Amino acid sequence: MTNRFSGYGTKEERIIDRNRRSGRAGSRSSRQRHKTRVELAISLVLIVIALLAIFFLNRPMTASASQEKTYQECYRSIEINPGDTLYKLADQYKKDPSVSRHQYVNKVIETNHLTSQNIYSGMSLVVPVYAEVQ
C-alpha cells in the first residue's frame, strides 16, 4: 500500500485509496444490503399473505342456525319384505346426514342382536328412524 502523502502509486491506486478514505468504496455494498433488505421485506409480506390465505380458506364453512337441522332418534318396528337388505333399509329410514349408511347398518345389527348382515323376508326388525326437531 502506498503512503497517501508520498504521491507514489498509479493513478488508479490513488483513486481507490481516496474512495476508500471518503467512504465511497462501500456504496455498492450498501446498495446490495438495501436490495437484500427490500427482498427480505417483500418475502415476509408474501409469507404473511400466504399464511392468512391458508387460515381463511381452511376454516369450516358454518351454516346459519336457520339452515341447520337437528334430528332426534326414535325406533320403529318393521317387517322385512323380499329383496330388502340392511343397506336398502338405511337408504329408506336414515334421514340424519351426520349418520353414515355403515353406521346405520351397524346400529340395526346391534339393536336387533343380529350375528350377520343377513335378513330374511318376514323377519321383524327394530330400526332407528330420525325425526326432524324444530
Side-chain angles (χ1 to χ4, degrees):
M1 180 165 146
T2 61
N3 185 343
R4 64 179 171 167
F5 300 109
S6 67
Y8 293 106
T10 65
K11 183 177 180 180
E12 291 81 14
E13 289 173 339
R14 288 192 302 263
I15 291 172
I16 291 171
D17 188 44
R18 186 178 31 187
N19 286 345
R20 189 177 300 127
R21 279 183 276 130
S22 68
R24 287 187 226 151
S27 65
R28 181 169 183 234
S29 63
S30 70
R31 279 191 299 246
Q32 287 175 338
R33 280 192 303 253
H34 178 70
K35 182 179 176 185
T36 303
R37 288 180 187 154
V38 169
E39 289 171 347
L40 178 64
I42 290 172
S43 298
L44 288 175
V45 168
L46 291 175
I47 289 171
V48 168
I49 290 171
L51 290 174
L52 287 172
I54 289 169
F55 173 75
F56 284 111
L57 292 176
N58 283 336
R59 288 180 39 200
M61 297 294 190
T62 56
S64 65
S66 63
Q67 293 176 343
E68 292 180 6
K69 295 181 180 179
T70 308
Y71 295 90
Q72 180 180 0
E73 185 177 84
C74 304
Y75 291 89
R76 177 177 174 188
S77 179
I78 61 165
E79 186 173 326
I80 303 303
N81 295 318
D84 282 346
T85 65
L86 291 177
Y87 284 96
K88 285 183 183 178
L89 294 176
D91 292 338
Q92 185 176 354
Y93 292 106
K94 180 192 80 69
K95 301 294 182 207
D96 186 352
S98 67
V99 178
S100 71
R101 288 176 75 206
H102 185 69
Q103 289 171 327
Y104 186 88
V105 167
N106 286 339
K107 185 171 266 299
V108 171
I109 290 171
E110 180 183 310
T111 303
N112 293 282
H113 306 287
L114 300 175
T115 56
S116 70
Q117 290 186 5
N118 297 330
I119 56 175
Y120 306 99
S121 178
M123 283 178 80
S124 290
L125 292 180
V126 175
V127 295
V129 292
Y130 297 93
E132 189 176 328
V133 177
Q134 298 295 333

